[in-house]
Amino acid sequence: MQKVQFSALVLIGLLAGCASTQKVLDKPPTEVFRSEKSVKEVTFCLSDKNHTPALERDDGSRVVLIKNGYGGVSLAFSIFPDGTGSRIEYRKQFGTIGGIWKQCVGLKGDK
């Protein structure tokens, strides 16, 4: 019984340390990318490659969140219209495995 209680306390502690969506979005961008692709194209790519839905905002921008197994936001992408293309603000809360998202913002490989 004590092991179950201890495990539950550890899990609660881990979840409390996970970043909330707003906390991550309020941070300054880790990096900003510009793309000739439209907001819709970049958003679709990020959503499709990471198997996660996008949030459409009233100002025409989109937000794509990549979460860890506990539901904490590890990466956040805010995609804004920029002329005929888009501006992508990338915010990194903590590392994740893989970097397939890089293809969506115009970076090659897994760097």
Side-chain angles (χ1 to χ4, degrees):
M1 184 71 150
Q2 286 183 336
K3 287 183 181 179
V4 172
Q5 288 175 340
F6 178 74
S7 296
L9 288 174
V10 169
L11 180 59
I12 289 169
L14 287 172
L15 291 175
C18 290
S20 72
T21 299
Q22 198 57 51
K23 179 182 174 184
V24 176
L25 291 175
D26 286 343
K27 290 175 51 167
T30 305
E31 200 164 348
V32 177
F33 303 98
R34 299 215 186 285
S35 174
E36 293 179 2
K37 295 180 182 176
S38 71
V39 170
K40 289 182 180 181
E41 289 177 286
V42 173
T43 301
F44 176 79
C45 182
L46 287 167
S47 293
D48 184 55
K49 291 192 180 299
N50 293 288
H51 310 288
T52 185
L55 169 68
E56 185 172 345
R57 294 194 151 173
D58 291 339
D59 64 0
S61 68
R62 308 283 200 297
V63 174
V64 176
L65 305 171
I66 299 175
K67 298 183 177 186
N68 66 12
Y70 300 105
V73 177
S74 57
L75 305 177
F77 299 88
S78 300
I79 306 107
F80 299 92
D82 188 31
T84 58
S86 57
R87 183 182 85 246
I88 304 103
E89 294 181 355
Y90 160 67
R91 290 170 175 83
K92 181 177 180 178
Q93 182 65 24
F94 52 87
T96 59
I97 297 173
I100 197 160
W101 62 267
K102 294 175 184 179
Q103 297 171 4
C104 301
V105 300
L107 297 177
K108 305 239 191 286
D110 196 30
K111 292 185 177 181

